[in-house]
């Protein structure tokens, strides 16, 4: 029995045990945005304890005792840069609200492959440009998509119109 335990011990301390942790997601997000007001200054990644990211500004977790992000709501924060990196590492993120910031450039075409369980995405009142990506067709759980008050142009991909759960779609002011 001791031999089995000794053989399993390295597996118990391997990174695979911590694969359900969204710390890397938030760290990549933090590193990819400009935060002139320092609103993300309490995002301290030195504390690796369970639930530590749940106290970060704008972060809501599924359970306060684990680092699994349910929603990321960073509205009216003066955050800027291109669409933030690392969100694909938040394995079960359902709500993303980055409204009223200064993000710019294109919305990634594979946004829903990175956020497959999204129920609400609010990127309104930013400076995003280009087309509304066809990738939104892959957001099969999406209830609400708010992209108003950006600089988006072009035709709306028809596939968005057949999303089974979509009840709110706002593209005004583009």
């Amino acid at each position: 029995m001791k031999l089995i335990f000794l053989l399993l011990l390295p597996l118990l301390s391997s990174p695979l045990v911590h694969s359900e942790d969204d710390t890397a997601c938030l760290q990549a997000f933090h590193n990819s945005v400009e935060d002139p007001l320092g609103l993300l200054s309490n995002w301290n990644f030195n504390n690796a304890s369970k639930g530590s990211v749940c106290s970060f500004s704008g972060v809501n977790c599924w359970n306060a005792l684990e680092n699994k992000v349910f929603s990321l709501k960073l509205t009216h924060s003066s955050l800027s840069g291109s669409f933030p990196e690392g969100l694909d590492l938040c394995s079960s993120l359902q709500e993303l609200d980055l409204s009223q910031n200064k993000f710019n450039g294109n919305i990634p075409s594979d946004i829903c492959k990175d956020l497959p369980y999204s129920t609400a995405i609010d990127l309104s009142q930013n400076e995003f440009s280009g087309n509304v990506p066809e990738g939104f067709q892959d957001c099969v759980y999406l209830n609400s998509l708010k992209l108003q008050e950006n600089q988006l142009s072009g035709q709306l991909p028809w596939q968005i119109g057949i999303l089974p759960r979509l009840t709110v779609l706002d593209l005004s002011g583009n």
Side-chain angles (χ1 to χ4, degrees):
M1 192 62 160
K2 280 186 179 181
L3 179 61
I4 292 173
F5 178 76
L6 290 174
L7 291 174
L8 291 176
L9 187 59
L11 292 175
L12 294 174
S13 62
S14 76
L16 293 175
V17 172
H18 303 290
S19 66
E20 294 298 314
D21 187 312
D22 289 341
T23 303
C25 163
L26 297 176
Q27 196 162 22
F29 178 95
H30 184 268
N31 292 338
S32 72
V33 302
E34 295 174 34
D35 179 21
L37 301 179
L39 295 174
L40 305 181
S41 61
N42 79 330
W43 286 28
N44 181 355
F45 296 101
N46 295 329
N47 181 359
S49 65
K50 291 183 179 183
S52 62
V53 303
C54 301
S55 64
F56 289 3
S57 297
V59 174
N60 294 304
C61 293
W62 284 92
N63 177 336
L65 300 177
E66 60 184 8
N67 289 334
K68 296 292 296 167
V69 178
F70 169 75
S71 70
L72 186 58
K73 295 183 180 186
L74 294 165
T75 64
H76 205 266
S77 302
S78 294
L79 300 175
S80 62
S82 59
F83 190 85
E85 296 177 14
L87 293 174
D88 59 318
L89 301 173
C90 281
S91 58
S92 57
L93 183 69
Q94 287 195 356
E95 296 177 3
L96 176 64
D97 188 346
L98 300 177
S99 62
Q100 301 178 19
N101 282 290
K102 296 178 182 175
F103 290 110
N104 59 55
N106 293 333
I107 297 171
S109 60
D110 58 351
I111 187 169
C112 292
K113 289 187 177 165
D114 290 345
L115 304 170
Y117 304 110
S118 294
T119 60
I121 297 176
D122 189 346
L123 303 176
S124 63
Q125 299 179 18
N126 276 285
E127 298 169 7
F128 288 113
S129 58
N131 294 328
V132 174
E134 288 184 17
F136 280 115
Q137 72 186 11
D138 297 323
C139 287
V140 296
Y141 301 109
L142 197 61
N143 297 315
S144 175
L145 177 59
K146 297 179 181 180
L147 302 174
Q148 72 269 22
E149 303 299 327
N150 279 288
Q151 299 166 13
L152 300 170
S153 59
Q155 293 186 353
L156 181 65
W158 66 268
Q159 298 91 337
I160 290 177
I162 61 172
L163 287 172
R165 297 178 183 209
L166 190 65
T167 57
V168 174
L169 175 63
D170 193 342
L171 299 165
S172 62
N174 280 292

